[in-house]
Amino acid sequence: MTLPKLHVAVLMGGWANERPVSLMSGEGVAKALEARGHRVTRIDMDRQVAARIAEAAPDVVFNALHGVPGEDGTVQGMLDLMGVPYTHSGLATSVIAIDKELTKQALVPHGVPMPGGRIVESESLYAKDPLPRPYVLKPVNEGSSVGVAIVTAEGNYGNPIGRDTKGPWREFDRLLAEPYIRGRELTVAVIDGAEGPRALTVTELVPKSGFYDFDAKYTDGMTEHVCPAAVPEDIAQLCMDLAVRAHRVLGCKGCSRTDFRWDDEHGEDGLFVLETNTQPGMTPLSLVPEQARHCGMSYEDLVEAIVAEALARGAQVAQGSSGDGDG
């Protein structure tokens, strides 16, 4: 792939829980672009971000933000109004994919298996459990396993959950409660190319202790990445098919990563999609670059491929062939 020399603004940081990860992702992307001869302006997201982007006047924005407001449609809408091309998914997709309830409503009717569950008010947890134990509680609009709690009969949260116990119920007013699915943690990256989206491979994530939470994801040595995963071929193929289906149904652009739980005692019936991440991490420990390397794509090639997709989409929008920035 040969790109013209570009001026790329790398948008990173911000004020979400995932700020440190975003800064690492953004710096990695910036260095990769500079290594390929592109001019890079690093922008740490703040309330004056629109003015700073306008002043920089880049050819394209690489959106390396994670969480709110960089991944929930807010920044995407701003960039649409400014007429600046940007990487990853557009406004509508971002609004849906960041919200776990909306994601279920979009994907399940298209044959994507996801755990059952329901939205609960955090205050109600102090009176009774919303589901039989074990179950999982997670924020509706966060990523990277921020604020996830597994409530078990043997756990120390109390029964019912105690007001003074540490957990997401103290940080968020509403949570998604889902049945706990025993088994293995799998993930698949999908990237857009000339022939449409394609899945890279399947990685199994094996935390050294506990579960694959925020610390396990971003602390070196806390999680083993088995790439490609040692799973039966039919499971690997199903994972990749479902990841591409989720990418298409949600309208993801550039790249995405879909996370799974697989109960290996139940074969294909034990496979469930947990979520689709529209702006996966690009840190040294991140899964998308790792899968790209396995498929023979360097980190620099991956970054340029994401930028190329954004430029092509931006050109379509400028010509009036796409209506809402998600096309």
Side-chain angles (χ1 to χ4, degrees), residues 27-318:
E27 188 58 29
V29 167
K31 288 179 177 177
L33 290 167
E34 288 172 337
R36 289 290 171 90
H38 302 290
R39 176 186 168 201
V40 174
T41 298
R42 295 163 171 80
I43 298 179
D44 190 342
M45 171 85 170
D46 60 15
R47 303 290 181 182
Q48 288 72 49
V49 65
R52 295 172 66 193
I53 292 172
E55 180 181 4
D59 297 310
V60 62
V61 168
F62 194 107
N63 187 353
L65 293 165
H66 302 313
V68 177
E71 201 170 350
D72 69 345
T74 303
V75 164
Q76 289 78 7
M78 176 192 72
L79 293 169
D80 285 340
L81 286 172
M82 295 176 69
V84 179
Y86 57 92
T87 64
H88 300 84
S89 298
L91 190 157
T93 296
S94 301
V95 169
I96 294 169
I98 194 71
D99 187 299
K100 295 177 176 65
E101 185 178 25
L102 292 178
T103 300
K104 286 180 190 285
Q105 293 172 3
L107 293 183
V108 171
H110 288 270
V112 177
M114 300 187 75
R118 59 191 180 92
I119 302 298
V120 298
E121 301 296 326
S122 295
E123 184 70 22
S124 70
L125 300 171
Y126 306 133
K128 63 178 181 179
D129 286 330
L131 298 173
R133 298 190 180 199
Y135 64 91
V136 179
L137 291 169
K138 59 181 73 170
V140 179
N141 294 311
E142 291 282 352
S144 289
S145 301
V146 171
V148 175
I150 300 175
V151 183
T152 65
E154 302 80 18
N156 57 3
Y157 293 133
N159 195 352
I161 291 172
R163 287 183 179 274
D164 296 331
T165 57
K166 184 179 179 181
W169 42 86
R170 295 177 62 179
E171 302 175 53
F172 304 94
D173 293 331
R174 300 170 72 243
L175 296 168
L176 175 64
E178 292 180 337
Y180 174 75
I181 299 169
R182 67 160 298 280
R184 299 161 67 175
E185 193 96 20
L186 306 174
T187 193
V188 174
V190 174
I191 62 170
D192 281 320
E195 298 180 357
R198 67 182 179 97
L200 296 182
T201 189
V202 183
T203 298
E204 181 173 7
L205 308 162
V206 186
K208 298 296 176 64
S209 63
F211 72 104
Y212 191 55
D213 60 7
F214 184 89
D215 290 336
K217 285 185 178 183
Y218 299 113
T219 304
D220 196 6
M222 286 190 65
T223 299
E224 179 185 1
H225 294 184
V226 182
C227 180
V231 298
E233 180 58 35
D234 62 329
I235 297 298
Q237 190 59 55
L238 181 57
C239 284
M240 291 190 288
D241 291 346
L242 289 172
V244 170
R245 188 183 308 176
H247 185 97
R248 289 185 183 277
V249 170
L250 292 171
C252 298
K253 301 296 180 182
C255 74
S256 69
R257 196 194 72 241
T258 295
D259 299 334
F260 300 84
R261 288 286 285 185
W262 178 46
D263 184 341
D264 53 8
E265 293 182 357
H266 293 88
E268 293 186 2
D269 292 338
L271 186 67
F272 294 89
V273 168
L274 297 181
E275 65 178 340
T276 294
N277 187 331
T278 58
Q279 284 168 219
M282 295 288 285
T283 76
L285 297 179
S286 293
L287 295 153
V288 175
E290 182 178 62
Q291 291 195 0
R293 283 195 303 274
H294 171 74
C295 295
M297 176 181 279
S298 71
Y299 185 92
E300 291 80 8
D301 286 341
L302 173 63
V303 170
E304 285 201 324
I306 294 170
V307 169
E309 190 282 330
L311 288 171
R313 183 162 30 109
Q316 289 179 342
V317 172

